[in-house]
mmCIF file with all atom_site columns, all heavy atoms in Angstrom:
data_model
loop_
_atom_site.group_PDB
_atom_site.id
_atom_site.type_symbol
_atom_site.label_atom_id
_atom_site.label_alt_id
_atom_site.label_comp_id
_atom_site.label_asym_id
_atom_site.label_entity_id
_atom_site.label_seq_id
_atom_site.pdbx_PDB_ins_code
_atom_site.Cartn_x
_atom_site.Cartn_y
_atom_site.Cartn_z
_atom_site.occupancy
_atom_site.B_iso_or_equiv
_atom_site.pdbx_formal_charge
_atom_site.auth_seq_id
_atom_site.auth_comp_id
_atom_site.auth_asym_id
_atom_site.auth_atom_id
_atom_site.pdbx_PDB_model_num
ATOM 1  N N   . TYR Y 1 271 ? -0.844  24.048 -30.607 1.00 90.00 ? 1006 TYR Y N   1
ATOM 2  C CA  . TYR Y 1 271 ? -2.223  24.512 -30.749 1.00 90.00 ? 1006 TYR Y CA  1
ATOM 3  C C   . TYR Y 1 271 ? -3.164  23.624 -29.927 1.00 90.00 ? 1006 TYR Y C   1
ATOM 4  O O   . TYR Y 1 271 ? -4.092  24.112 -29.277 1.00 90.00 ? 1006 TYR Y O   1
ATOM 5  C CB  . TYR Y 1 271 ? -2.664  24.475 -32.213 1.00 90.00 ? 1006 TYR Y CB  1
ATOM 6  C CG  . TYR Y 1 271 ? -1.787  25.244 -33.168 1.00 90.00 ? 1006 TYR Y CG  1
ATOM 7  C CD1 . TYR Y 1 271 ? -1.625  24.833 -34.494 1.00 90.00 ? 1006 TYR Y CD1 1
ATOM 8  C CD2 . TYR Y 1 271 ? -1.097  26.381 -32.755 1.00 90.00 ? 1006 TYR Y CD2 1
ATOM 9  C CE1 . TYR Y 1 271 ? -0.814  25.530 -35.376 1.00 90.00 ? 1006 TYR Y CE1 1
ATOM 10 C CE2 . TYR Y 1 271 ? -0.280  27.074 -33.634 1.00 90.00 ? 1006 TYR Y CE2 1
ATOM 11 C CZ  . TYR Y 1 271 ? -0.139  26.651 -34.946 1.00 90.00 ? 1006 TYR Y CZ  1
ATOM 12 O OH  . TYR Y 1 271 ? 0.667   27.329 -35.815 1.00 90.00 ? 1006 TYR Y OH  1
ATOM 13 N N   . GLY Y 1 272 ? -2.898  22.331 -29.966 1.00 90.00 ? 1007 GLY Y N   1
ATOM 14 C CA  . GLY Y 1 272 ? -3.731  21.394 -29.219 1.00 90.00 ? 1007 GLY Y CA  1
ATOM 15 C C   . GLY Y 1 272 ? -3.688  21.668 -27.726 1.00 90.00 ? 1007 GLY Y C   1
ATOM 16 O O   . GLY Y 1 272 ? -4.705  21.577 -27.037 1.00 90.00 ? 1007 GLY Y O   1
ATOM 17 N N   . GLN Y 1 273 ? -2.514  22.000 -27.215 1.00 90.00 ? 1008 GLN Y N   1
ATOM 18 C CA  . GLN Y 1 273 ? -2.393  22.330 -25.792 1.00 90.00 ? 1008 GLN Y CA  1
ATOM 19 C C   . GLN Y 1 273 ? -3.278  23.520 -25.436 1.00 90.00 ? 1008 GLN Y C   1
ATOM 20 O O   . GLN Y 1 273 ? -3.954  23.513 -24.408 1.00 90.00 ? 1008 GLN Y O   1
ATOM 21 C CB  . GLN Y 1 273 ? -0.937  22.639 -25.443 1.00 90.00 ? 1008 GLN Y CB  1
ATOM 22 C CG  . GLN Y 1 273 ? -0.729  22.969 -23.972 1.00 90.00 ? 1008 GLN Y CG  1
ATOM 23 C CD  . GLN Y 1 273 ? 0.704   23.385 -23.685 1.00 90.00 ? 1008 GLN Y CD  1
ATOM 24 O OE1 . GLN Y 1 273 ? 1.400   23.914 -24.551 1.00 90.00 ? 1008 GLN Y OE1 1
ATOM 25 N NE2 . GLN Y 1 273 ? 1.154   23.143 -22.468 1.00 90.00 ? 1008 GLN Y NE2 1
ATOM 26 N N   . SER Y 1 274 ? -3.279  24.537 -26.292 1.00 86.00 ? 1009 SER Y N   1
ATOM 27 C CA  . SER Y 1 274 ? -4.103  25.726 -26.029 1.00 86.00 ? 1009 SER Y CA  1
ATOM 28 C C   . SER Y 1 274 ? -5.589  25.395 -26.103 1.00 86.00 ? 1009 SER Y C   1
ATOM 29 O O   . SER Y 1 274 ? -6.374  25.813 -25.246 1.00 86.00 ? 1009 SER Y O   1
ATOM 30 C CB  . SER Y 1 274 ? -3.765  26.831 -27.037 1.00 86.00 ? 1009 SER Y CB  1
ATOM 31 O OG  . SER Y 1 274 ? -2.417  27.224 -26.927 1.00 86.00 ? 1009 SER Y OG  1
ATOM 32 N N   . LEU Y 1 275 ? -5.984  24.633 -27.126 1.00 84.00 ? 1010 LEU Y N   1
ATOM 33 C CA  . LEU Y 1 275 ? -7.401  24.319 -27.294 1.00 84.00 ? 1010 LEU Y CA  1
ATOM 34 C C   . LEU Y 1 275 ? -7.914  23.389 -26.208 1.00 84.00 ? 1010 LEU Y C   1
ATOM 35 O O   . LEU Y 1 275 ? -9.114  23.356 -25.930 1.00 84.00 ? 1010 LEU Y O   1
ATOM 36 C CB  . LEU Y 1 275 ? -7.630  23.691 -28.673 1.00 84.00 ? 1010 LEU Y CB  1
ATOM 37 C CG  . LEU Y 1 275 ? -7.424  24.634 -29.868 1.00 84.00 ? 1010 LEU Y CG  1
ATOM 38 C CD1 . LEU Y 1 275 ? -7.497  23.860 -31.174 1.00 84.00 ? 1010 LEU Y CD1 1
ATOM 39 C CD2 . LEU Y 1 275 ? -8.465  25.739 -29.854 1.00 84.00 ? 1010 LEU Y CD2 1
ATOM 40 N N   . ALA Y 1 276 ? -7.015  22.627 -25.599 1.00 81.00 ? 1011 ALA Y N   1
ATOM 41 C CA  . ALA Y 1 276 ? -7.424  21.690 -24.546 1.00 81.00 ? 1011 ALA Y CA  1
ATOM 42 C C   . ALA Y 1 276 ? -7.452  22.339 -23.180 1.00 81.00 ? 1011 ALA Y C   1
ATOM 43 O O   . ALA Y 1 276 ? -7.614  21.662 -22.168 1.00 81.00 ? 1011 ALA Y O   1
ATOM 44 C CB  . ALA Y 1 276 ? -6.478  20.482 -24.525 1.00 81.00 ? 1011 ALA Y CB  1
ATOM 45 N N   . SER Y 1 277 ? -7.336  23.663 -23.130 1.00 74.00 ? 1012 SER Y N   1
ATOM 46 C CA  . SER Y 1 277 ? -7.251  24.341 -21.846 1.00 74.00 ? 1012 SER Y CA  1
ATOM 47 C C   . SER Y 1 277 ? -8.529  24.193 -21.024 1.00 74.00 ? 1012 SER Y C   1
ATOM 48 O O   . SER Y 1 277 ? -8.504  24.381 -19.820 1.00 74.00 ? 1012 SER Y O   1
ATOM 49 C CB  . SER Y 1 277 ? -6.946  25.830 -22.056 1.00 74.00 ? 1012 SER Y CB  1
ATOM 50 O OG  . SER Y 1 277 ? -7.965  26.450 -22.826 1.00 74.00 ? 1012 SER Y OG  1
ATOM 51 N N   . PHE Y 1 278 ? -9.673  23.844 -21.669 1.00 64.00 ? 1013 PHE Y N   1
ATOM 52 C CA  . PHE Y 1 278 ? -10.894 23.669 -20.897 1.00 64.00 ? 1013 PHE Y CA  1
ATOM 53 C C   . PHE Y 1 278 ? -10.804 22.465 -19.976 1.00 64.00 ? 1013 PHE Y C   1
ATOM 54 O O   . PHE Y 1 278 ? -11.603 22.302 -19.060 1.00 64.00 ? 1013 PHE Y O   1
ATOM 55 C CB  . PHE Y 1 278 ? -12.112 23.529 -21.821 1.00 64.00 ? 1013 PHE Y CB  1
ATOM 56 C CG  . PHE Y 1 278 ? -12.184 22.215 -22.569 1.00 64.00 ? 1013 PHE Y CG  1
ATOM 57 C CD1 . PHE Y 1 278 ? -12.807 21.117 -22.016 1.00 64.00 ? 1013 PHE Y CD1 1
ATOM 58 C CD2 . PHE Y 1 278 ? -11.627 22.102 -23.840 1.00 64.00 ? 1013 PHE Y CD2 1
ATOM 59 C CE1 . PHE Y 1 278 ? -12.878 19.927 -22.719 1.00 64.00 ? 1013 PHE Y CE1 1
ATOM 60 C CE2 . PHE Y 1 278 ? -11.692 20.917 -24.545 1.00 64.00 ? 1013 PHE Y CE2 1
ATOM 61 C CZ  . PHE Y 1 278 ? -12.320 19.822 -23.978 1.00 64.00 ? 1013 PHE Y CZ  1
ATOM 62 N N   . ALA Y 1 279 ? -9.802  21.613 -20.197 1.00 57.00 ? 1014 ALA Y N   1
ATOM 63 C CA  . ALA Y 1 279 ? -9.559  20.491 -19.287 1.00 57.00 ? 1014 ALA Y CA  1
ATOM 64 C C   . ALA Y 1 279 ? -8.504  20.875 -18.268 1.00 57.00 ? 1014 ALA Y C   1
ATOM 65 O O   . ALA Y 1 279 ? -7.733  20.058 -17.816 1.00 57.00 ? 1014 ALA Y O   1
ATOM 66 C CB  . ALA Y 1 279 ? -9.117  19.255 -20.063 1.00 57.00 ? 1014 ALA Y CB  1
ATOM 67 N N   . GLY Y 1 280 ? -8.493  22.162 -17.874 1.00 53.00 ? 1015 GLY Y N   1
ATOM 68 C CA  . GLY Y 1 280 ? -7.437  22.705 -17.035 1.00 53.00 ? 1015 GLY Y CA  1
ATOM 69 C C   . GLY Y 1 280 ? -7.377  22.126 -15.639 1.00 53.00 ? 1015 GLY Y C   1
ATOM 70 O O   . GLY Y 1 280 ? -6.407  22.324 -14.933 1.00 53.00 ? 1015 GLY Y O   1
ATOM 71 N N   . ASP Y 1 281 ? -8.462  21.445 -15.157 1.00 55.00 ? 1016 ASP Y N   1
ATOM 72 C CA  . ASP Y 1 281 ? -8.376  20.848 -13.836 1.00 55.00 ? 1016 ASP Y CA  1
ATOM 73 C C   . ASP Y 1 281 ? -7.377  19.705 -13.816 1.00 55.00 ? 1016 ASP Y C   1
ATOM 74 O O   . ASP Y 1 281 ? -6.973  19.234 -12.764 1.00 55.00 ? 1016 ASP Y O   1
ATOM 75 C CB  . ASP Y 1 281 ? -9.759  20.346 -13.392 1.00 55.00 ? 1016 ASP Y CB  1
ATOM 76 C CG  . ASP Y 1 281 ? -10.354 19.338 -14.368 1.00 55.00 ? 1016 ASP Y CG  1
ATOM 77 O OD1 . ASP Y 1 281 ? -10.068 19.450 -15.571 1.00 55.00 ? 1016 ASP Y OD1 1
ATOM 78 O OD2 . ASP Y 1 281 ? -11.105 18.467 -13.917 1.00 55.00 ? 1016 ASP Y OD2 1
ATOM 79 N N   . LEU Y 1 282 ? -6.984  19.230 -14.990 1.00 62.00 ? 1017 LEU Y N   1
ATOM 80 C CA  . LEU Y 1 282 ? -5.890  18.263 -15.113 1.00 62.00 ? 1017 LEU Y CA  1
ATOM 81 C C   . LEU Y 1 282 ? -4.813  18.915 -15.980 1.00 62.00 ? 1017 LEU Y C   1
ATOM 82 O O   . LEU Y 1 282 ? -4.831  18.828 -17.198 1.00 62.00 ? 1017 LEU Y O   1
ATOM 83 C CB  . LEU Y 1 282 ? -6.383  16.967 -15.756 1.00 62.00 ? 1017 LEU Y CB  1
ATOM 84 C CG  . LEU Y 1 282 ? -7.302  16.100 -14.887 1.00 62.00 ? 1017 LEU Y CG  1
ATOM 85 C CD1 . LEU Y 1 282 ? -7.874  14.971 -15.708 1.00 62.00 ? 1017 LEU Y CD1 1
ATOM 86 C CD2 . LEU Y 1 282 ? -6.559  15.549 -13.682 1.00 62.00 ? 1017 LEU Y CD2 1
#
Side-chain angles (χ1 to χ4, degrees):
Y1006 304 149
Q1008 181 185 28
S1009 299
L1010 292 173
S1012 60
F1013 72 88
D1016 58 329
L1017 289 172

